[in-house]
Amino acid sequence: MIRTVLWLLGGLLLGGVIHIVAVVLVPDFTTVDAWTRLEKFGPEARFNVLPAVEPGSEPLPMLDPTMAHAVCRFSLADGPVRLDATLPETFWSFSLFNRRGETTYSFNDRTSGEGKLAMLVLTSSQLAILRENPPADLESLIVIETDDEHAFAMLRAFVPDPRELETIDKALGRAICEHLKV
């Protein structure tokens, strides 16, 4: 009797461990990750303004309906990426995500220093090459070094009044996301 109970307990424990491992590893085996899902919004290496968030037809999950959004997906295999934006004097935030959609860097207009986005995203080897021939304005850029070859950036700007949505969308559309020529 005790032997049967121990076998059942061991089986349940083993089953629980296998279940937990399977759940944790599912994101590593999926073929459709966050970076791939963003492909439908436009080409790589440029900010694409997302449609307004409407109940039941959100372009991406968990977006704030009081914000306007633009997203730029890029591959660092094509070189470092320069991100620049000047947005209206309203709250805005920037987030850098890895391929799986996990935030790797984030800041907003209050912490950006000058109230604008001026950033360079690159790998360690690209940074070593860039140090030999730096861009003239390197000192004014936020330099983000990452090991993620595929990443995406999201700009969010608060829309205090629906009449300002067009102005904010235009500013998001003028944001720059391009590969730096090294």
Side-chain angles (χ1 to χ4, degrees):
M1 177 75 170
I2 293 177
R3 181 176 257 172
T4 305
V5 171
L6 286 175
W7 276 102
L8 285 174
L9 188 60
L12 286 173
L13 185 62
L14 181 62
V17 169
I18 290 171
H19 178 76
I20 290 170
V21 168
V23 168
V24 168
L25 291 178
V26 164
D28 292 332
F29 291 106
T30 185
T31 57
V32 181
D33 54 16
W35 192 82
T36 306
R37 275 189 245 136
L38 293 173
E39 184 176 12
K40 67 183 174 185
F41 296 111
E44 280 186 46
R46 73 178 292 253
F47 274 106
N48 299 291
V49 178
L50 300 181
V53 177
E54 298 292 332
S57 64
E58 296 87 1
L60 294 172
M62 300 181 8
L63 292 180
D64 186 343
T66 63
M67 306 283 265
H69 304 83
V71 67
C72 172
R73 61 188 210 116
F74 53 87
S75 172
L76 293 177
D78 301 327
V81 172
R82 171 88 185 241
L83 303 163
D84 284 298
T86 303
L87 297 165
E89 300 234 355
T90 180
F91 174 81
W92 60 263
S93 70
F94 169 85
S95 296
L96 183 65
F97 298 89
N98 65 14
R99 183 176 194 121
R100 291 175 58 181
E102 300 164 334
T103 305
T104 57
Y105 190 82
S106 179
F107 72 98
N108 61 44
D109 63 321
R110 308 308 194 270
T111 59
S112 69
E114 298 176 15
K116 67 177 202 164
L117 173 67
M119 178 179 286
L120 190 60
V121 181
L122 38 62
T123 64
S124 301
S125 59
Q126 291 167 342
L127 181 59
I129 293 169
L130 192 71
R131 284 187 176 143
E132 295 173 13
N133 188 18
D137 62 344
L138 183 63
E139 294 298 321
S140 66
L141 297 174
I142 298 170
V143 178
I144 304 299
E145 186 179 344
T146 181
D147 294 328
D148 299 313
E149 187 172 292
H150 293 91
F152 63 94
M154 181 178 284
L155 265 174
R156 301 172 189 92
F158 177 65
V159 182
D161 186 317
R163 294 174 291 194
E164 295 182 39
L165 179 61
E166 185 177 342
T167 303
I168 292 171
D169 276 350
K170 284 181 183 177
L172 288 171
R174 286 191 301 269
I176 296 170
C177 174
E178 62 187 9
H179 288 285
L180 188 68
K181 307 302 182 239
V182 183

